[in-house]
Amino acid sequence: AEEAARHADLNMAYATYCNEVVQKIVAGQMSIDEWDNCVDYIYQLGLEEDLAILNAAYQRYLNQGK
């Protein structure tokens, strides 16, 4: 339950940030050349932690019934 809550929090942060960035790019307020910086920021938000949470959940799923 704790992992699911953390994953949901991280997902919300990514979605909010990505929506803001896409809107700025479309509106011409941000250059697409800044995309690499945006990806770096997503990692700073906790992407590696989120991937670890998802991988752990997937591994538990695979190990069910063994």
Side-chain angles (χ1 to χ4, degrees):
E2 186 178 318
E3 282 182 338
R6 180 64 177 148
H7 170 66
D9 289 345
L10 290 169
N11 246 346
M12 181 62 72
Y14 306 146
T16 300
Y17 179 70
C18 288
N19 285 335
E20 290 172 1
V21 167
V22 169
Q23 288 175 5
K24 287 179 180 178
I25 291 171
V26 170
Q29 298 170 342
M30 179 184 277
S31 170
I32 192 69
D33 295 333
E34 295 180 57
W35 183 250
D36 288 342
N37 294 334
C38 297
V39 172
D40 290 342
Y41 185 70
I42 291 170
Y43 275 92
Q44 291 174 21
L45 288 174
L47 182 61
E48 293 288 342
E49 176 188 359
D50 197 26
L51 292 175
I53 290 169
L54 292 173
N55 189 48
Y58 181 62
Q59 292 304 316
R60 286 193 300 273
Y61 170 78
L62 291 177
N63 289 325
Q64 287 178 351
K66 286 189 176 182

PDB file of all heavy atoms in Angstrom, residues 5-26:
ATOM      1  N   ALA A   5       0.994   4.159  -2.960  1.00  0.00           N
ATOM      2  CA  ALA A   5       0.786   5.585  -2.677  1.00  0.00           C
ATOM      3  C   ALA A   5       1.955   6.413  -3.187  1.00  0.00           C
ATOM      4  O   ALA A   5       1.761   7.490  -3.776  1.00  0.00           O
ATOM      5  CB  ALA A   5       0.596   5.793  -1.177  1.00  0.00           C
ATOM      6  N   ARG A   6       3.172   5.922  -2.973  1.00  0.00           N
ATOM      7  CA  ARG A   6       4.354   6.649  -3.446  1.00  0.00           C
ATOM      8  C   ARG A   6       4.359   6.711  -4.969  1.00  0.00           C
ATOM      9  O   ARG A   6       4.653   7.751  -5.558  1.00  0.00           O
ATOM     10  CB  ARG A   6       5.633   5.992  -2.913  1.00  0.00           C
ATOM     11  CG  ARG A   6       6.899   6.666  -3.339  1.00  0.00           C
ATOM     12  CD  ARG A   6       7.016   8.073  -2.790  1.00  0.00           C
ATOM     13  NE  ARG A   6       8.300   8.646  -3.185  1.00  0.00           N
ATOM     14  CZ  ARG A   6       8.498   9.913  -3.416  1.00  0.00           C
ATOM     15  NH1 ARG A   6       7.530  10.787  -3.236  1.00  0.00           N
ATOM     16  NH2 ARG A   6       9.673  10.348  -3.791  1.00  0.00           N
ATOM     17  N   HIS A   7       4.038   5.598  -5.614  1.00  0.00           N
ATOM     18  CA  HIS A   7       3.977   5.563  -7.076  1.00  0.00           C
ATOM     19  C   HIS A   7       2.936   6.568  -7.587  1.00  0.00           C
ATOM     20  O   HIS A   7       3.195   7.305  -8.542  1.00  0.00           O
ATOM     21  CB  HIS A   7       3.650   4.154  -7.564  1.00  0.00           C
ATOM     22  CG  HIS A   7       3.331   4.071  -9.014  1.00  0.00           C
ATOM     23  ND1 HIS A   7       4.263   4.321  -9.996  1.00  0.00           N
ATOM     24  CD2 HIS A   7       2.173   3.797  -9.665  1.00  0.00           C
ATOM     25  CE1 HIS A   7       3.688   4.192 -11.187  1.00  0.00           C
ATOM     26  NE2 HIS A   7       2.431   3.874 -11.000  1.00  0.00           N
ATOM     27  N   ALA A   8       1.783   6.606  -6.942  1.00  0.00           N
ATOM     28  CA  ALA A   8       0.734   7.544  -7.351  1.00  0.00           C
ATOM     29  C   ALA A   8       1.203   8.989  -7.200  1.00  0.00           C
ATOM     30  O   ALA A   8       0.957   9.820  -8.089  1.00  0.00           O
ATOM     31  CB  ALA A   8      -0.532   7.308  -6.532  1.00  0.00           C
ATOM     32  N   ASP A   9       1.890   9.286  -6.100  1.00  0.00           N
ATOM     33  CA  ASP A   9       2.415  10.644  -5.895  1.00  0.00           C
ATOM     34  C   ASP A   9       3.418  11.021  -6.978  1.00  0.00           C
ATOM     35  O   ASP A   9       3.382  12.120  -7.522  1.00  0.00           O
ATOM     36  CB  ASP A   9       3.085  10.770  -4.522  1.00  0.00           C
ATOM     37  CG  ASP A   9       2.095  10.756  -3.374  1.00  0.00           C
ATOM     38  OD1 ASP A   9       0.885  10.931  -3.616  1.00  0.00           O
ATOM     39  OD2 ASP A   9       2.545  10.555  -2.224  1.00  0.00           O
ATOM     40  N   LEU A  10       4.327  10.105  -7.275  1.00  0.00           N
ATOM     41  CA  LEU A  10       5.339  10.372  -8.297  1.00  0.00           C
ATOM     42  C   LEU A  10       4.691  10.536  -9.662  1.00  0.00           C
ATOM     43  O   LEU A  10       5.045  11.440 -10.422  1.00  0.00           O
ATOM     44  CB  LEU A  10       6.382   9.253  -8.318  1.00  0.00           C
ATOM     45  CG  LEU A  10       7.305   9.198  -7.108  1.00  0.00           C
ATOM     46  CD1 LEU A  10       8.109   7.903  -7.102  1.00  0.00           C
ATOM     47  CD2 LEU A  10       8.227  10.399  -7.058  1.00  0.00           C
ATOM     48  N   ASN A  11       3.736   9.683  -9.964  1.00  0.00           N
ATOM     49  CA  ASN A  11       3.045   9.775 -11.248  1.00  0.00           C
ATOM     50  C   ASN A  11       2.335  11.108 -11.406  1.00  0.00           C
ATOM     51  O   ASN A  11       2.328  11.699 -12.487  1.00  0.00           O
ATOM     52  CB  ASN A  11       2.043   8.630 -11.393  1.00  0.00           C
ATOM     53  CG  ASN A  11       2.419   7.679 -12.479  1.00  0.00           C
ATOM     54  OD1 ASN A  11       3.269   7.960 -13.306  1.00  0.00           O
ATOM     55  ND2 ASN A  11       1.785   6.531 -12.482  1.00  0.00           N
ATOM     56  N   MET A  12       1.728  11.585 -10.334  1.00  0.00           N
ATOM     57  CA  MET A  12       1.039  12.876 -10.377  1.00  0.00           C
ATOM     58  C   MET A  12       2.045  13.995 -10.643  1.00  0.00           C
ATOM     59  O   MET A  12       1.782  14.906 -11.432  1.00  0.00           O
ATOM     60  CB  MET A  12       0.296  13.135  -9.073  1.00  0.00           C
ATOM     61  CG  MET A  12      -0.453  14.452  -9.057  1.00  0.00           C
ATOM     62  SD  MET A  12      -1.763  14.577 -10.300  1.00  0.00           S
ATOM     63  CE  MET A  12      -2.952  13.470  -9.599  1.00  0.00           C
ATOM     64  N   ALA A  13       3.203  13.913  -9.998  1.00  0.00           N
ATOM     65  CA  ALA A  13       4.238  14.930 -10.210  1.00  0.00           C
ATOM     66  C   ALA A  13       4.713  14.929 -11.658  1.00  0.00           C
ATOM     67  O   ALA A  13       4.869  15.993 -12.270  1.00  0.00           O
ATOM     68  CB  ALA A  13       5.406  14.700  -9.258  1.00  0.00           C
ATOM     69  N   TYR A  14       4.927  13.730 -12.228  1.00  0.00           N
ATOM     70  CA  TYR A  14       5.368  13.651 -13.623  1.00  0.00           C
ATOM     71  C   TYR A  14       4.312  14.220 -14.558  1.00  0.00           C
ATOM     72  O   TYR A  14       4.617  14.982 -15.472  1.00  0.00           O
ATOM     73  CB  TYR A  14       5.617  12.210 -14.081  1.00  0.00           C
ATOM     74  CG  TYR A  14       6.554  11.406 -13.259  1.00  0.00           C
ATOM     75  CD1 TYR A  14       6.349  10.044 -13.088  1.00  0.00           C
ATOM     76  CD2 TYR A  14       7.652  11.977 -12.643  1.00  0.00           C
ATOM     77  CE1 TYR A  14       7.203   9.282 -12.341  1.00  0.00           C
ATOM     78  CE2 TYR A  14       8.515  11.212 -11.880  1.00  0.00           C
ATOM     79  CZ  TYR A  14       8.288   9.869 -11.734  1.00  0.00           C
ATOM     80  OH  TYR A  14       9.132   9.114 -10.991  1.00  0.00           O
ATOM     81  N   ALA A  15       3.078  13.806 -14.342  1.00  0.00           N
ATOM     82  CA  ALA A  15       1.995  14.237 -15.229  1.00  0.00           C
ATOM     83  C   ALA A  15       1.832  15.751 -15.197  1.00  0.00           C
ATOM     84  O   ALA A  15       1.698  16.389 -16.249  1.00  0.00           O
ATOM     85  CB  ALA A  15       0.690  13.543 -14.839  1.00  0.00           C
ATOM     86  N   THR A  16       1.850  16.310 -14.006  1.00  0.00           N
ATOM     87  CA  THR A  16       1.703  17.761 -13.870  1.00  0.00           C
ATOM     88  C   THR A  16       2.837  18.485 -14.577  1.00  0.00           C
ATOM     89  O   THR A  16       2.611  19.405 -15.371  1.00  0.00           O
ATOM     90  CB  THR A  16       1.667  18.156 -12.377  1.00  0.00           C
ATOM     91  OG1 THR A  16       0.559  17.496 -11.757  1.00  0.00           O
ATOM     92  CG2 THR A  16       1.540  19.655 -12.205  1.00  0.00           C
ATOM     93  N   TYR A  17       4.061  18.051 -14.304  1.00  0.00           N
ATOM     94  CA  TYR A  17       5.220  18.705 -14.905  1.00  0.00           C
ATOM     95  C   TYR A  17       5.216  18.555 -16.424  1.00  0.00           C
ATOM     96  O   TYR A  17       5.418  19.534 -17.156  1.00  0.00           O
ATOM     97  CB  TYR A  17       6.508  18.141 -14.309  1.00  0.00           C
ATOM     98  CG  TYR A  17       7.739  18.755 -14.913  1.00  0.00           C
ATOM     99  CD1 TYR A  17       8.074  20.078 -14.665  1.00  0.00           C
ATOM    100  CD2 TYR A  17       8.563  18.022 -15.755  1.00  0.00           C
ATOM    101  CE1 TYR A  17       9.191  20.664 -15.233  1.00  0.00           C
ATOM    102  CE2 TYR A  17       9.690  18.591 -16.322  1.00  0.00           C
ATOM    103  CZ  TYR A  17      10.003  19.905 -16.060  1.00  0.00           C
ATOM    104  OH  TYR A  17      11.103  20.476 -16.629  1.00  0.00           O
ATOM    105  N   CYS A  18       4.969  17.352 -16.915  1.00  0.00           N
ATOM    106  CA  CYS A  18       4.980  17.121 -18.362  1.00  0.00           C
ATOM    107  C   CYS A  18       3.890  17.921 -19.064  1.00  0.00           C
ATOM    108  O   CYS A  18       4.124  18.474 -20.140  1.00  0.00           O
ATOM    109  CB  CYS A  18       4.837  15.636 -18.667  1.00  0.00           C
ATOM    110  SG  CYS A  18       6.316  14.690 -18.264  1.00  0.00           S
ATOM    111  N   ASN A  19       2.709  17.992 -18.466  1.00  0.00           N
ATOM    112  CA  ASN A  19       1.639  18.796 -19.060  1.00  0.00           C
ATOM    113  C   ASN A  19       2.037  20.261 -19.144  1.00  0.00           C
ATOM    114  O   ASN A  19       1.794  20.918 -20.156  1.00  0.00           O
ATOM    115  CB  ASN A  19       0.341  18.646 -18.267  1.00  0.00           C
ATOM    116  CG  ASN A  19      -0.338  17.325 -18.513  1.00  0.00           C
ATOM    117  OD1 ASN A  19      -0.150  16.701 -19.546  1.00  0.00           O
ATOM    118  ND2 ASN A  19      -1.128  16.884 -17.559  1.00  0.00           N
ATOM    119  N   GLU A  20       2.662  20.781 -18.093  1.00  0.00           N
ATOM    120  CA  GLU A  20       3.115  22.172 -18.099  1.00  0.00           C
ATOM    121  C   GLU A  20       4.155  22.409 -19.190  1.00  0.00           C
ATOM    122  O   GLU A  20       4.090  23.402 -19.919  1.00  0.00           O
ATOM    123  CB  GLU A  20       3.699  22.550 -16.740  1.00  0.00           C
ATOM    124  CG  GLU A  20       2.679  22.650 -15.637  1.00  0.00           C
ATOM    125  CD  GLU A  20       3.301  22.838 -14.262  1.00  0.00           C
ATOM    126  OE1 GLU A  20       4.553  22.918 -14.155  1.00  0.00           O
ATOM    127  OE2 GLU A  20       2.541  22.899 -13.280  1.00  0.00           O
ATOM    128  N   VAL A  21       5.101  21.492 -19.303  1.00  0.00           N
ATOM    129  CA  VAL A  21       6.169  21.645 -20.302  1.00  0.00           C
ATOM    130  C   VAL A  21       5.596  21.592 -21.712  1.00  0.00           C
ATOM    131  O   VAL A  21       5.928  22.434 -22.553  1.00  0.00           O
ATOM    132  CB  VAL A  21       7.251  20.557 -20.102  1.00  0.00           C
ATOM    133  CG1 VAL A  21       8.189  20.485 -21.299  1.00  0.00           C
ATOM    134  CG2 VAL A  21       8.030  20.825 -18.828  1.00  0.00           C
ATOM    135  N   VAL A  22       4.731  20.625 -21.979  1.00  0.00           N
ATOM    136  CA  VAL A  22       4.148  20.505 -23.314  1.00  0.00           C
ATOM    137  C   VAL A  22       3.350  21.763 -23.661  1.00  0.00           C
ATOM    138  O   VAL A  22       3.452  22.288 -24.774  1.00  0.00           O
ATOM    139  CB  VAL A  22       3.269  19.238 -23.419  1.00  0.00           C
ATOM    140  CG1 VAL A  22       2.438  19.245 -24.696  1.00  0.00           C
ATOM    141  CG2 VAL A  22       4.149  17.991 -23.364  1.00  0.00           C
ATOM    142  N   GLN A  23       2.587  22.276 -22.707  1.00  0.00           N
ATOM    143  CA  GLN A  23       1.829  23.495 -22.957  1.00  0.00           C
ATOM    144  C   GLN A  23       2.751  24.674 -23.274  1.00  0.00           C
ATOM    145  O   GLN A  23       2.469  25.469 -24.172  1.00  0.00           O
ATOM    146  CB  GLN A  23       0.947  23.831 -21.751  1.00  0.00           C
ATOM    147  CG  GLN A  23      -0.231  22.903 -21.594  1.00  0.00           C
ATOM    148  CD  GLN A  23      -1.027  23.167 -20.330  1.00  0.00           C
ATOM    149  OE1 GLN A  23      -0.765  24.109 -19.595  1.00  0.00           O
ATOM    150  NE2 GLN A  23      -2.001  22.312 -20.060  1.00  0.00           N
ATOM    151  N   LYS A  24       3.863  24.775 -22.549  1.00  0.00           N
ATOM    152  CA  LYS A  24       4.808  25.865 -22.792  1.00  0.00           C
ATOM    153  C   LYS A  24       5.463  25.735 -24.169  1.00  0.00           C
ATOM    154  O   LYS A  24       5.658  26.727 -24.866  1.00  0.00           O
ATOM    155  CB  LYS A  24       5.872  25.907 -21.702  1.00  0.00           C
ATOM    156  CG  LYS A  24       5.355  26.430 -20.386  1.00  0.00           C
ATOM    157  CD  LYS A  24       6.440  26.438 -19.332  1.00  0.00           C
ATOM    158  CE  LYS A  24       5.910  26.959 -18.010  1.00  0.00           C
ATOM    159  NZ  LYS A  24       6.935  26.933 -16.958  1.00  0.00           N
ATOM    160  N   ILE A  25       5.792  24.506 -24.547  1.00  0.00           N
ATOM    161  CA  ILE A  25       6.411  24.288 -25.860  1.00  0.00           C
ATOM    162  C   ILE A  25       5.425  24.647 -26.968  1.00  0.00           C
ATOM    163  O   ILE A  25       5.765  25.353 -27.918  1.00  0.00           O
ATOM    164  CB  ILE A  25       6.932  22.841 -25.994  1.00  0.00           C
ATOM    165  CG1 ILE A  25       8.142  22.628 -25.067  1.00  0.00           C
ATOM    166  CG2 ILE A  25       7.292  22.515 -27.439  1.00  0.00           C
ATOM    167  CD1 ILE A  25       8.605  21.186 -24.950  1.00  0.00           C
ATOM    168  N   VAL A  26       4.196  24.181 -26.842  1.00  0.00           N
ATOM    169  CA  VAL A  26       3.169  24.458 -27.847  1.00  0.00           C
ATOM    170  C   VAL A  26       2.889  25.956 -27.948  1.00  0.00           C
ATOM    171  O   VAL A  26       2.708  26.498 -29.037  1.00  0.00           O
ATOM    172  CB  VAL A  26       1.881  23.660 -27.540  1.00  0.00           C
ATOM    173  CG1 VAL A  26       0.725  24.114 -28.419  1.00  0.00           C
ATOM    174  CG2 VAL A  26       2.122  22.172 -27.724  1.00  0.00           C
TER     175      VAL A  26
END
